[in-house]
Amino acid sequence: MRVQNLTFDDWLEHSFGREVRFQQAPWYFDPEHDWWDPPPIEAVSHLTRLFEDPEPALRGFADGQIAQGLTYLVNTSASGDSRWLCSTDVPVKDRVRCVKSVAALFAKLFEPRCTPALSHLSEADVGTLNCVCYMWWDAFPSLAIAGDPNLPILHDCALRTMERILYLNSIACQESALHGLGHWQRHYDEKVPQIVDRFCEAHSRADPRLLAYAQSARCGCVL
């Protein structure tokens, strides 16, 4: 059933308050599940508010529920691309603010809660939120479509946001940003190497496995 006109608190409960099933598909794959289908401007507003200040919003939800809820909301492999962020009905300043707010989500949620493990190596001690963190930019909705005059602004904002995340004190967050940059290298083959080179120069004593992954991202060789 299509769900609209949810308050912010009701939306949080709808998205994050579900049971995390053991060895079963999540609720959003059920044939008759409810799905949130608001106007794009409302969706961007709720997402921005959550990303900018996730701690009070997500207090009371377990990491598994948070991972499941974020996957439902922003992973296009879970519920498709709802085209909220690429909607030209939303003022570009609000779309830019939403993209920028992802850095706050990483700093306030993923940095303190993700384990210091590398997901691309399938390490055994990867935490519940690490996979969502790692796949964030790989599965994130489209920011703009061809013909949108604001596409360069939004893409530049995303690249700058990934670069900010690179400087968090979290190997999981750094890996996520490199993963995203690796996928963007195809279209930004000058900017991405520059971002990666700055990171490697500033973090020459980082984990050698992370630095090796950075070199893969630099040339777009990530999965």
Side-chain angles (χ1 to χ4, degrees), residues 109-182:
L109 179 71
F110 292 136
E111 181 178 7
R113 295 202 189 193
C114 287
T115 60
L118 292 169
S119 294
H120 79 280
L121 296 178
S122 301
E123 294 184 336
D125 54 346
V126 168
T128 303
L129 285 167
N130 284 58
C131 182
V132 178
C133 175
Y134 174 62
M135 294 297 293
W136 187 266
W137 297 104
D138 198 351
F140 201 68
S142 174
L143 303 181
I145 58 175
D148 184 342
N150 294 306
L151 185 150
I153 295 172
L154 288 153
H155 280 197
D156 184 66
C157 178
L159 289 168
R160 290 177 182 273
T161 299
M162 286 182 240
E163 183 165 18
R164 283 197 292 273
I165 292 168
L166 275 177
Y167 290 85
L168 295 178
N169 186 27
S170 162
I171 195 171
C173 293
Q174 292 167 335
E175 179 191 33
S176 171
L178 290 170
H179 186 198
L181 288 165

Coordinates of all heavy atoms in Angstrom, one line a residue, residues 109-182:
L109 N 27.1 8.7 12.5 CA 26.5 7.4 12.6 C 27.5 6.3 12.3 O 27.9 5.5 13.1 CB 25.3 7.2 11.7 CG 24.6 5.8 11.7 CD1 23.9 5.6 13.0 CD2 23.7 5.6 10.6
F110 N 28.1 6.3 11.0 CA 28.9 5.3 10.6 C 30.3 5.3 11.3 O 30.9 4.3 11.6 CB 29.1 5.3 9.1 CG 27.9 5.0 8.3 CD1 27.5 5.7 7.2 CD2 27.1 3.9 8.7 CE1 26.4 5.4 6.5 CE2 26.0 3.6 8.0 CZ 25.6 4.3 6.9
E111 N 30.9 6.5 11.5 CA 32.2 6.6 12.1 C 32.2 5.9 13.5 O 33.1 5.1 13.8 CB 32.7 8.0 12.1 CG 34.1 8.1 12.7 CD 34.7 9.5 12.7 OE1 33.9 10.5 12.4 OE2 35.8 9.7 13.1
P112 N 31.3 6.3 14.4 CA 31.3 5.7 15.7 C 30.8 4.2 15.8 O 31.2 3.5 16.7 CB 30.4 6.6 16.5 CG 29.5 7.2 15.6 CD 30.3 7.4 14.3
R113 N 30.0 3.8 14.8 CA 29.4 2.5 14.9 C 29.9 1.4 14.0 O 29.8 0.2 14.3 CB 27.9 2.6 14.7 CG 27.1 3.5 15.7 CD 25.6 3.1 15.7 NE 24.8 4.0 16.4 CZ 23.6 3.8 16.8 NH1 23.0 2.7 16.4 NH2 22.9 4.7 17.5
C114 N 30.6 1.7 13.0 CA 31.2 0.7 12.1 C 32.4 0.1 12.7 O 33.2 0.9 13.3 CB 31.5 1.3 10.7 SG 30.0 1.6 9.7
T115 N 32.6 -1.1 12.5 CA 33.9 -1.7 13.0 C 35.0 -1.4 12.1 O 34.8 -1.1 10.9 CB 33.7 -3.3 13.1 OG1 33.5 -3.8 11.8 CG2 32.6 -3.7 14.0
P116 N 36.3 -1.4 12.6 CA 37.4 -1.0 11.8 C 37.8 -2.2 10.9 O 38.9 -2.8 11.1 CB 38.5 -0.7 12.8 CG 38.1 -1.5 14.0 CD 36.6 -1.6 14.0
A117 N 37.0 -2.5 10.0 CA 37.2 -3.7 9.1 C 37.0 -3.2 7.6 O 36.3 -2.3 7.4 CB 36.3 -4.8 9.4
L118 N 37.6 -4.0 6.7 CA 37.5 -3.6 5.3 C 36.5 -4.6 4.6 O 36.7 -5.8 4.5 CB 38.8 -3.7 4.6 CG 39.8 -2.6 5.1 CD1 41.2 -2.9 4.6 CD2 39.4 -1.2 4.6
S119 N 35.4 -4.0 4.1 CA 34.3 -4.8 3.5 C 34.8 -5.4 2.2 O 34.3 -6.5 1.8 CB 33.1 -4.0 3.3 OG 32.5 -3.6 4.5
H120 N 35.6 -4.7 1.4 CA 36.0 -5.3 0.1 C 36.8 -6.5 0.2 O 37.0 -7.3 -0.7 CB 36.7 -4.2 -0.8 CG 38.1 -4.0 -0.5 ND1 38.5 -3.2 0.6 CD2 39.2 -4.4 -1.1 CE1 39.8 -3.1 0.6 NE2 40.3 -3.9 -0.4
L121 N 37.4 -6.8 1.4 CA 38.2 -8.0 1.7 C 37.3 -9.0 2.4 O 37.9 -10.1 2.8 CB 39.4 -7.6 2.5 CG 40.4 -6.7 1.8 CD1 41.6 -6.4 2.8 CD2 40.9 -7.3 0.5
S122 N 36.1 -8.7 2.7 CA 35.1 -9.7 3.3 C 35.7 -10.1 4.7 O 35.7 -11.3 5.0 CB 34.8 -10.9 2.4 OG 34.3 -10.5 1.2
E123 N 36.2 -9.2 5.4 CA 36.8 -9.5 6.7 C 35.7 -10.0 7.7 O 34.6 -9.5 7.7 CB 37.6 -8.3 7.3 CG 38.8 -8.0 6.5 CD 39.6 -6.9 7.0 OE1 39.1 -6.1 7.8 OE2 40.8 -6.8 6.7
A124 N 36.1 -10.9 8.6 CA 35.2 -11.6 9.4 C 34.5 -10.7 10.4 O 33.4 -10.9 10.9 CB 35.8 -12.8 10.1
D125 N 35.2 -9.6 10.9 CA 34.7 -8.8 11.9 C 34.0 -7.6 11.4 O 33.8 -6.6 12.1 CB 35.8 -8.4 12.9 CG 37.0 -7.7 12.2 OD1 37.1 -7.8 10.9 OD2 37.8 -7.1 12.8
V126 N 33.5 -7.6 10.2 CA 32.7 -6.5 9.6 C 31.4 -6.4 10.4 O 30.7 -7.4 10.7 CB 32.4 -6.8 8.2 CG1 31.3 -5.8 7.7 CG2 33.6 -6.6 7.3
G127 N 31.0 -5.2 10.9 CA 29.9 -5.0 11.7 C 28.6 -4.9 10.9 O 28.6 -4.8 9.6
T128 N 27.5 -4.8 11.6 CA 26.1 -4.7 11.0 C 26.0 -3.6 10.0 O 25.4 -3.7 9.0 CB 25.1 -4.7 12.1 OG1 25.2 -5.8 13.0 CG2 23.7 -4.7 11.5
L129 N 26.5 -2.4 10.4 CA 26.3 -1.2 9.6 C 27.4 -1.1 8.5 O 27.3 -0.2 7.6 CB 26.3 0.0 10.5 CG 25.0 0.3 11.3 CD1 25.3 1.3 12.3 CD2 23.9 0.7 10.3
N130 N 28.4 -1.9 8.6 CA 29.6 -1.7 7.6 C 29.1 -1.9 6.2 O 29.6 -1.1 5.3 CB 30.7 -2.7 7.9 CG 31.5 -2.2 9.2 OD1 31.0 -2.1 10.2 ND2 32.8 -2.1 9.0
C131 N 28.3 -2.9 5.9 CA 27.9 -3.1 4.5 C 27.1 -1.9 3.9 O 27.4 -1.5 2.8 CB 27.1 -4.4 4.4 SG 26.6 -4.8 2.7
V132 N 26.2 -1.4 4.7 CA 25.5 -0.2 4.3 C 26.4 1.0 4.0 O 26.3 1.7 3.0 CB 24.4 0.2 5.3 CG1 23.7 1.5 4.8 CG2 23.4 -0.9 5.5
C133 N 27.4 1.1 4.9 CA 28.4 2.2 4.7 C 29.2 2.0 3.5 O 29.3 2.9 2.6 CB 29.3 2.2 6.0 SG 30.7 3.3 5.9
Y134 N 29.7 0.8 3.3 CA 30.5 0.4 2.1 C 29.8 0.6 0.8 O 30.4 1.2 -0.2 CB 31.0 -1.0 2.3 CG 31.8 -1.5 1.1 CD1 33.0 -0.9 0.7 CD2 31.3 -2.6 0.4 CE1 33.7 -1.4 -0.4 CE2 32.1 -3.1 -0.7 CZ 33.2 -2.5 -1.1 OH 34.0 -3.0 -2.2
M135 N 28.6 0.2 0.7 CA 27.8 0.3 -0.5 C 27.1 1.6 -0.7 O 26.3 1.7 -1.7 CB 26.8 -0.9 -0.5 CG 27.4 -2.3 -0.6 SD 28.4 -2.5 -2.1 CE 27.1 -2.5 -3.3
W136 N 27.3 2.6 0.1 CA 26.4 3.8 0.1 C 26.4 4.4 -1.3 O 25.3 4.7 -1.8 CB 27.0 4.8 1.1 CG 26.1 6.0 1.3 CD1 26.2 7.2 0.7 CD2 24.9 6.1 2.1 NE1 25.2 8.0 1.0 CE2 24.4 7.4 1.9 CE3 24.2 5.2 3.0 CZ2 23.2 7.8 2.6 CZ3 23.1 5.6 3.6 CH2 22.6 6.9 3.4
W137 N 27.6 4.7 -1.8 CA 27.6 5.5 -3.1 C 27.3 4.6 -4.3 O 26.9 5.1 -5.3 CB 28.9 6.2 -3.2 CG 29.2 7.2 -2.2 CD1 30.0 7.1 -1.1 CD2 28.5 8.5 -2.1 NE1 29.9 8.3 -0.3 CE2 29.0 9.1 -0.9 CE3 27.6 9.2 -2.8 CZ2 28.6 10.4 -0.5 CZ3 27.2 10.5 -2.4 CH2 27.7 11.1 -1.3
D138 N 27.6 3.3 -4.1 CA 27.3 2.3 -5.2 C 25.8 2.2 -5.5 O 25.4 2.1 -6.6 CB 27.9 1.0 -4.8 CG 28.0 0.0 -6.0 OD1 27.6 0.4 -7.1 OD2 28.6 -1.0 -5.8
A139 N 25.0 2.3 -4.4 CA 23.6 2.1 -4.5 C 22.7 3.3 -4.3 O 21.5 3.3 -4.3 CB 23.1 1.0 -3.5
F140 N 23.4 4.5 -4.2 CA 22.7 5.7 -3.9 C 21.8 6.2 -5.1 O 22.2 6.0 -6.2 CB 23.7 6.8 -3.5 CG 23.1 8.0 -2.7 CD1 22.7 7.8 -1.4 CD2 23.0 9.3 -3.3 CE1 22.2 8.8 -0.7 CE2 22.5 10.3 -2.6 CZ 22.1 10.1 -1.3
P141 N 20.7 6.8 -4.8 CA 19.8 7.2 -5.9 C 20.5 8.3 -6.8 O 21.4 8.9 -6.4 CB 18.6 7.8 -5.2 CG 18.6 7.3 -3.9 CD 20.1 7.0 -3.5
S142 N 20.0 8.4 -8.0 CA 20.5 9.4 -9.0 C 20.3 10.8 -8.5 O 19.3 11.1 -7.9 CB 19.7 9.2 -10.3 OG 20.1 10.2 -11.2
L143 N 21.3 11.6 -8.6 CA 21.3 13.0 -8.2 C 20.7 13.9 -9.2 O 20.2 15.0 -8.9 CB 22.7 13.5 -7.8 CG 23.4 12.6 -6.7 CD1 24.8 13.2 -6.4 CD2 22.6 12.5 -5.5
A144 N 20.9 13.6 -10.5 CA 20.4 14.4 -11.6 C 20.4 13.6 -12.8 O 21.1 12.6 -13.0 CB 21.3 15.7 -11.7
I145 N 19.5 14.0 -13.8 CA 19.5 13.3 -15.0 C 20.0 14.2 -16.1 O 20.1 15.4 -16.0 CB 18.0 12.8 -15.3 CG1 17.0 14.0 -15.3 CG2 17.5 11.8 -14.3 CD1 15.6 13.6 -15.7
A146 N 20.3 13.6 -17.3 CA 20.7 14.3 -18.4 C 19.8 15.5 -18.8 O 18.5 15.2 -18.8 CB 20.9 13.4 -19.6
G147 N 20.3 16.6 -19.0 CA 19.4 17.8 -19.3 C 19.2 18.7 -18.2 O 18.7 19.8 -18.3
D148 N 19.4 18.2 -17.0 CA 19.3 19.0 -15.8 C 20.4 20.0 -15.7 O 21.6 19.6 -15.6 CB 19.2 18.1 -14.5 CG 19.0 18.9 -13.2 OD1 19.1 20.2 -13.2 OD2 18.6 18.3 -12.2
P149 N 20.2 21.3 -15.8 CA 21.3 22.3 -15.8 C 22.1 22.3 -14.5 O 23.2 22.8 -14.4 CB 20.6 23.6 -16.0 CG 19.1 23.4 -15.5 CD 18.8 22.0 -15.9
N150 N 21.5 21.7 -13.4 CA 22.2 21.6 -12.1 C 23.0 20.4 -11.9 O 23.6 20.2 -10.8 CB 21.1 21.8 -11.0 CG 20.5 23.1 -11.0 OD1 21.1 24.2 -11.0 ND2 19.1 23.1 -11.1
L151 N 23.0 19.5 -12.9 CA 23.8 18.3 -12.8 C 25.3 18.5 -12.4 O 25.8 17.9 -11.5 CB 23.7 17.5 -14.1 CG 24.4 16.1 -14.1 CD1 23.6 15.1 -15.1 CD2 25.9 16.1 -14.5
P152 N 26.0 19.4 -13.0 CA 27.4 19.7 -12.6 C 27.5 20.1 -11.1 O 28.4 19.7 -10.5 CB 27.9 20.8 -13.6 CG 27.0 20.7 -14.7 CD 25.6 20.3 -14.2
I153 N 26.6 20.9 -10.7 CA 26.6 21.4 -9.3 C 26.4 20.2 -8.3 O 27.2 20.0 -7.3 CB 25.5 22.4 -9.0 CG1 25.8 23.7 -9.9 CG2 25.4 22.8 -7.6 CD1 24.6 24.7 -9.8
L154 N 25.5 19.3 -8.6 CA 25.2 18.2 -7.8 C 26.3 17.2 -7.8 O 26.6 16.6 -6.7 CB 23.8 17.6 -8.2 CG 22.6 18.5 -7.8 CD1 21.5 18.2 -8.7 CD2 22.2 18.2 -6.3
H155 N 26.8 16.9 -8.9 CA 27.9 15.9 -9.0 C 29.2 16.5 -8.3 O 29.9 15.7 -7.6 CB 28.2 15.6 -10.5 CG 27.2 14.6 -11.0 ND1 27.5 13.9 -12.2 CD2 26.0 14.2 -10.6 CE1 26.4 13.1 -12.4 NE2 25.6 13.2 -11.5
D156 N 29.5 17.7 -8.5 CA 30.6 18.3 -7.8 C 30.4 18.2 -6.3 O 31.3 17.9 -5.5 CB 30.8 19.8 -8.2 CG 32.0 20.4 -7.6 OD1 33.2 19.9 -7.9 OD2 31.9 21.3 -6.8
C157 N 29.2 18.5 -5.8 CA 28.8 18.4 -4.4 C 29.1 17.0 -3.9 O 29.6 16.7 -2.8 CB 27.4 18.8 -4.2 SG 26.9 18.7 -2.5
A158 N 28.7 16.0 -4.7 CA 28.9 14.6 -4.3 C 30.3 14.2 -4.2 O 30.8 13.6 -3.2 CB 28.2 13.6 -5.3
L159 N 31.1 14.7 -5.1 CA 32.6 14.4 -5.1 C 33.2 15.1 -3.9 O 34.1 14.5 -3.2 CB 33.2 14.9 -6.4 CG 32.9 14.1 -7.6 CD1 33.4 14.8 -8.9 CD2 33.6 12.7 -7.6
R160 N 32.8 16.3 -3.6 CA 33.4 17.0 -2.4 C 32.9 16.3 -1.1 O 33.7 16.2 -0.1 CB 32.9 18.4 -2.4 CG 33.5 19.3 -3.5 CD 33.0 20.7 -3.5 NE 33.5 21.5 -4.6 CZ 34.7 22.2 -4.5 NH1 35.4 22.2 -3.3 NH2 35.1 22.9 -5.5
T161 N 31.7 15.8 -1.1 CA 31.2 15.1 0.1 C 32.0 13.8 0.3 O 32.4 13.4 1.4 CB 29.7 14.7 -0.1 OG1 29.0 16.0 -0.2 CG2 29.2 14.0 1.1
M162 N 32.3 13.0 -0.8 CA 33.1 11.8 -0.7 C 34.5 12.2 -0.2 O 35.1 11.5 0.7 CB 33.2 11.1 -2.0 CG 31.9 10.4 -2.4 SD 32.1 9.5 -4.0 CE 30.9 10.3 -5.0
E163 N 35.0 13.3 -0.6 CA 36.4 13.7 -0.2 C 36.4 14.0 1.3 O 37.3 13.7 2.1 CB 36.9 14.9 -1.0 CG 38.3 15.3 -0.6 CD 39.1 16.2 -1.5 OE1 38.4 16.8 -2.4 OE2 40.3 16.2 -1.5
R164 N 35.3 14.7 1.8 CA 35.2 15.0 3.2 C 35.2 13.7 4.0 O 35.8 13.6 5.1 CB 34.0 15.9 3.5 CG 34.1 17.3 3.1 CD 33.1 18.2 3.8 NE 31.8 17.9 3.2 CZ 31.2 18.5 2.2 NH1 32.0 19.4 1.5 NH2 30.0 18.2 1.7
I165 N 34.4 12.7 3.5 CA 34.3 11.5 4.3 C 35.7 10.8 4.3 O 36.0 10.1 5.3 CB 33.3 10.6 3.6 CG1 31.9 11.2 3.8 CG2 33.3 9.2 4.2 CD1 30.8 10.6 3.0
L166 N 36.5 11.0 3.3 CA 37.8 10.3 3.3 C 38.7 10.8 4.5 O 39.6 10.0 4.9 CB 38.6 10.7 2.1 CG 38.4 9.9 0.8 CD1 39.2 10.5 -0.3 CD2 38.8 8.5 1.0
Y167 N 38.4 11.9 5.1 CA 39.2 12.4 6.2 C 38.6 12.1 7.6 O 39.1 12.6 8.6 CB 39.5 13.9 6.0 CG 40.4 14.2 4.8 CD1 39.9 14.2 3.5 CD2 41.8 14.2 5.0 CE1 40.7 14.4 2.4 CE2 42.6 14.4 3.9 CZ 42.1 14.4 2.6 OH 42.9 14.6 1.5
L168 N 37.6 11.3 7.6 CA 37.1 10.9 8.9 C 38.0 9.8 9.5 O 38.7 9.1 8.8 CB 35.7 10.2 8.8 CG 34.6 11.2 8.3 CD1 33.2 10.4 8.1 CD2 34.4 12.3 9.3
N169 N 38.0 9.7 10.8 CA 38.9 8.7 11.5 C 38.2 7.4 11.5 O 38.0 6.8 12.6 CB 39.3 9.2 12.9 CG 40.3 8.4 13.5 OD1 41.1 7.7 12.9 ND2 40.3 8.3 14.9
S170 N 38.0 6.8 10.4 CA 37.3 5.5 10.3 C 37.7 4.8 9.0 O 37.4 5.3 7.9 CB 35.8 5.7 10.3 OG 35.1 4.6 9.9
I171 N 38.3 3.7 9.1 CA 38.7 3.0 7.9 C 37.5 2.5 7.1 O 37.6 2.4 5.9 CB 39.7 1.8 8.3 CG1 40.4 1.3 7.1 CG2 38.9 0.7 9.0 CD1 41.5 0.2 7.4
A172 N 36.4 2.2 7.8 CA 35.2 1.8 7.1 C 34.6 3.0 6.2 O 34.2 2.8 5.1 CB 34.1 1.3 8.0
C173 N 34.6 4.2 6.8 CA 34.1 5.3 6.1 C 35.1 5.7 4.9 O 34.6 6.1 3.8 CB 34.0 6.5 7.0 SG 32.7 6.3 8.3
Q174 N 36.4 5.6 5.2 CA 37.3 5.9 4.1 C 37.2 4.9 3.0 O 37.2 5.3 1.8 CB 38.7 5.9 4.7 CG 39.0 7.0 5.7 CD 40.3 6.8 6.5 OE1 40.7 5.6 6.7 NE2 40.9 7.8 7.0
E175 N 37.0 3.7 3.3 CA 36.8 2.7 2.3 C 35.6 2.9 1.5 O 35.5 2.8 0.2 CB 36.7 1.3 2.9 CG 36.5 0.2 1.9 CD 36.2 -1.2 2.6 OE1 35.5 -1.1 3.7 OE2 36.5 -2.2 2.1
S176 N 34.5 3.4 2.1 CA 33.2 3.7 1.4 C 33.4 4.8 0.4 O 33.0 4.8 -0.7 CB 32.2 4.1 2.5 OG 31.0 4.6 1.8
A177 N 34.1 5.9 0.9 CA 34.4 7.0 0.0 C 35.2 6.6 -1.2 O 34.9 7.0 -2.3 CB 35.0 8.1 0.8
L178 N 36.2 5.8 -1.0 CA 37.1 5.3 -2.1 C 36.3 4.4 -3.0 O 36.4 4.5 -4.2 CB 38.3 4.5 -1.5 CG 39.3 5.4 -0.8 CD1 40.3 4.4 -0.1 CD2 40.0 6.3 -1.8
H179 N 35.4 3.6 -2.5 CA 34.5 2.8 -3.3 C 33.6 3.6 -4.2 O 33.5 3.4 -5.4 CB 33.6 1.9 -2.4 CG 32.8 0.9 -3.1 ND1 31.7 0.3 -2.5 CD2 32.9 0.4 -4.3 CE1 31.1 -0.5 -3.3 NE2 31.8 -0.5 -4.5
G180 N 33.1 4.7 -3.6 CA 32.2 5.6 -4.4 C 33.1 6.3 -5.5 O 32.7 6.4 -6.7
L181 N 34.2 6.8 -5.1 CA 35.1 7.5 -6.1 C 35.5 6.6 -7.2 O 35.6 7.0 -8.3 CB 36.3 8.1 -5.3 CG 36.0 9.3 -4.4 CD1 37.2 9.5 -3.5 CD2 35.7 10.5 -5.2
G182 N 35.8 5.3 -6.9 CA 36.1 4.4 -7.9 C 35.1 4.2 -8.9 O 35.4 4.1 -10.1

